[in-house]
Amino acid sequence: MTNFPKTIHFIGTNTPVGIEWSARNLDVVGTIPEEIDGAFFRAVPDPALAPMFEDEIALSGDGMVAKFDIRGGVVDYAIKYVETERYKLEKEARRALFGRYRNPFTDDPSVAGKDRTVANTTPVWHGGRLLMTKEDGLGYEIDPETLETIGRFDYYGALKSETFTAHPRIDPETGEMFFFGYEAGGLASLDVAYGIADKDGNLVSEQWFQQPYCSTIHDFLITEKYAIFPIFPTTADLSRIEAGGPHWAHQQELESWVGIMPRYGKVEEMRWFKGPKGVSAFHFLNAYDDGDRIHMDVCLSDTCAFQFMREAGGVERAQQDIQGGMTRWSFDMAKPGESFESRVIGPPGDMPRIPDANQGRPHRKGWYLTINPEGGPPVLGGPVGVSFNMLLQIEPGNGRIDALPLEPGMAINEPVHVPSRDPEKDGWLLTVVDKQTGPDSFDSQLWVIDAGAVSAGPVARVPMPMPMRAQVHGWWVPRTELEKARARHAEIVPA
Ligand code: V55
Ligand code: FE
């Protein structure tokens, strides 16, 4: 793979791999607990072809869907490309036809009007369906057993939005999926679609509203009562895009906003709260109701984490100079006004996780990734170009922090959480860890970590026999869910 640009987007753990492969009965060092029974799906961007432009970025890599299938302490692995319309067109042409990130005006004229999404951000499981998602388009449905692509998923024509978030939220009690799509009505439009699918995966509502300016709404939140849409000032401009320029530019002088509406209410009930200027967050740990108050935990930074978005907005700030912290924003819904409270509850970091059962409910613990200042120079790679090298556990209630720092030259990807059958236990974290062995070469391992004892390190490790490109997000699906989906499919399509 020597024909890729030698930029941060294609070196280190972003070195293209481009190999579809599978292996059964991988070696396990240590013992994987029996109660870990299911599939760890991963979204891995991996460009199949060298880009049209030298300034191509990591976020445009073709989506690959990977699966660790774990049962009885045994691990199987497989990874395949998501066969998006874009992937298939470029495969046929044997060269890149789609140009810059989220800019169709830079494409080869032969693909005008074709679906540009690469479905590379989150594998989402809901209603017995696996979707590979990216926020610039609709999800692609994937066969969870073969990893083959079934096709673009629009709820059988019911969904009107042109886009579907990579961060839907699922209520653990009702099984409903709450989701949104921004730029729902087209490139740089202010339209945001807010949707609900019932536990069986049927679309039951879709409402549209307008955001204050066209921002990148990467993630949102639900509580038992509310849906929460945070808006940060990284904005799109249609004339800039039409001129072939960047889709996003960070505007340091612009306010942020938080829109909050009853989650089963009408979008007209949205209340807008005004936040600090210039801040940014891509992910939220969780939110919950506390009487009339709402608390939400934000992976907040004082500017946008993506260099190419800062540059486009004229923000000159080196990656290592970005400040931030895990920040709790608290809203009093009984009081009028636009203001809310803010306090830092943990170190800076991102890729947060809570147990699925705590979604929208109070969380006692949360896990996320950070850069350890004492961990040596961070490994290059990942979505923003530098990798995390420490796993953190926070307990917002008492301020306690536990950490698993990695050795210098190591990188950690976002974990998934697997619940324990023992209510006294915190469950397990599964994550892929990379150790640098050369400029663009790594030994990667799947680690199984006791979520209640992260500093103790992994209880089991699975050395991987092939190179692994940096993951974005993952999703844990218990065996019972996989089997229910398989049984339902067998009813519909008798073997
Ligand atoms: C993110 C990731 C994306 C994207 C936009 O993590 C934002 C944030 C992997 O793709 O297109
Ligand atoms: Fe994300």
Side-chain angles (χ1 to χ4, degrees):
M1 297 277 182
T2 52
N3 49 352
F4 285 89
K6 283 284 164 207
T7 64
I8 197 125
H9 304 279
F10 301 98
I11 62 169
T13 64
N14 287 339
T15 303
V17 176
I19 304 170
E20 298 180 297
W21 63 281
S22 68
R24 288 188 291 153
N25 305 319
L26 294 169
D27 289 336
V28 178
V29 182
T31 305
I32 298 178
E34 286 284 331
E35 68 175 357
I36 298 179
D37 187 3
F40 170 15
F41 291 103
R42 310 174 75 223
V44 181
D46 197 336
L49 291 157
M52 277 174 76
F53 297 99
E54 286 285 310
D55 59 359
E56 177 67 294
I57 59 166
L59 302 186
S60 285
D62 293 294
M64 296 191 88
V65 53
K67 178 190 187 183
F68 285 101
D69 191 295
I70 307 175
R71 165 167 237 177
V74 177
V75 184
D76 298 342
Y77 182 78
I79 182 164
K80 262 200 174 80
Y81 276 108
V82 183
E83 302 235 351
T84 59
E85 186 171 32
R86 170 174 174 151
Y87 175 84
K88 290 199 282 194
L89 287 162
E90 293 188 337
K91 184 178 175 189
E92 181 65 27
R94 297 176 150 263
R95 66 184 176 91
L97 299 170
F98 292 81
R100 293 200 166 89
Y101 181 66
R102 299 182 70 172
N103 192 328
F105 300 95
T106 60
D107 292 347
D108 187 283
S110 67
V111 296
K114 303 293 187 191
D115 187 13
R116 302 184 90 253
T117 195
V118 286
N120 69 0
T121 311
T122 310
V124 171
W125 179 271
H126 184 249
R129 237 180 238 124
L130 179 64
L131 299 177
M132 279 289 284
T133 60
K134 186 180 186 72
E135 65 196 50
D136 65 350
L138 296 181
Y140 274 74
E141 189 178 358
I142 304 293
D143 182 321
E145 291 188 31
T146 64
L147 302 187
E148 268 155 29
T149 302
I150 296 165
R152 185 157 47 166
F153 187 66
D154 63 0
Y155 291 89
Y156 309 108
L159 185 68
K160 299 299 169 231
S161 176
E162 292 181 18
T163 62
F164 183 95
T165 178
H167 290 285
R169 299 268 173 179
I170 295 174
D171 186 288
E173 275 162 41
T174 69
E176 293 160 306
M177 178 166 69
F178 299 83
F179 67 91
F180 66 95
Y182 72 90
E183 298 192 12
L187 208 60
S189 76
L190 295 176
D191 306 315
V192 182
Y194 168 47
I196 307 175
D198 69 16
K199 66 175 180 11
D200 300 316
N202 303 301
L203 185 67
V204 293
S205 98
E206 179 181 3
Q207 304 181 68
W208 286 32
F209 67 92
Q210 303 237 304
Q211 54 164 326
Y213 44 75
C214 182
S215 76
T216 166
I217 314 180
H218 184 68
D219 190 3
F220 90 134
L221 286 153
I222 56 158
T223 69
E224 289 178 80
K225 294 195 291 204
Y226 295 103
I228 307 170
F229 299 88
I231 311 290
F232 300 106
T234 303
T235 64
D237 176 75
L238 190 56
S239 51
R240 183 176 68 226
I241 297 169
E242 282 170 348
H247 191 115
W248 299 117
H250 191 66
Q251 292 185 262
Q252 202 64 41
E253 298 312 314
L254 211 56
E255 270 104 17
S256 54
W257 294 92
V258 182
I260 304 183
M261 62 174 277
R263 75 181 200 183
Y264 297 117
K266 297 234 178 313
V267 289
E268 289 75 23
E269 296 173 76
M270 189 83 73
R271 251 185 88 177
W272 289 100
F273 295 84
K274 198 185 275 187
K277 287 183 180 172
V279 298
S280 173
F282 280 87
H283 302 109
F284 312 108
L285 180 65
N286 191 28
Y288 64 93
D289 301 311
D290 175 7
D292 286 331
R293 284 159 66 78
I294 299 170
H295 302 293
M296 62 181 269
D297 292 350
V298 183
C299 299
L300 192 69
S301 48
D302 63 353
T303 186
C304 179
F306 288 99
Q307 194 196 330
F308 71 94
M309 300 183 191
R310 293 197 300 278
E311 255 173 25
V315 182
E316 282 177 36
R317 189 91 74 85
Q319 205 68 25
Q320 66 272 16
D321 296 335
I322 298 175
Q323 310 286 313
M326 182 65 82
T327 304
R328 176 157 291 195
W329 282 357
S330 301
F331 303 81
D332 191 336
M333 299 305 284
K335 282 204 196 131
E338 292 185 329
S339 63
F340 58 88
E341 291 163 32
S342 174
R343 89 190 154 91
V344 174
I345 60 165
D350 205 349
M351 310 312 248
R353 282 282 163 171
I354 51 159
D356 290 341
N358 293 162
Q359 185 68 251
R361 315 293 194 279
H363 52 286
R364 204 166 51 80
K365 292 187 172 178
W367 298 271
Y368 61 107
L369 307 180
T370 192
I371 294 181
N372 175 12
E374 275 122 58
V379 170
L380 299 182
V384 302
V386 288
S387 307
F388 294 110
N389 60 3
M390 184 150 77
L391 172 64
L392 286 178
Q393 174 191 277
I394 57 162
E395 297 179 64
N398 59 28
R400 268 207 294 266
I401 289 179
D402 195 18
L404 174 59
L406 301 182
E407 288 165 29
M410 293 181 79
I412 184 167
N413 292 271
E414 183 186 73
V416 286
H417 177 264
V418 182
S420 175
R421 277 194 288 268
D422 180 348
E424 300 295 305
K425 290 241 167 89
D426 287 315
W428 308 95
L429 300 173
L430 307 181
T431 182
V432 172
V433 166
D434 310 297
K435 187 176 175 61
Q436 192 141 23
T437 55
D440 295 327
S441 57
F442 296 85
D443 278 339
S444 299
Q445 301 188 338
L446 172 70
W447 282 15
V448 179
I449 298 164
D450 179 341
V454 299
S455 55
V459 299
R461 296 182 288 112
V462 182
M464 299 301 290
M466 296 279 275
M468 311 270 280
R469 202 170 191 257
Q471 168 201 314
V472 186
H473 298 293
W475 199 284
W476 173 254
V477 184
R479 183 73 51 195
T480 48
E481 283 290 315
L482 294 167
E483 280 175 359
K484 242 193 317 189
R486 183 193 212 162
R488 200 174 75 166
H489 188 73
E491 267 170 39
I492 304 166
V493 188

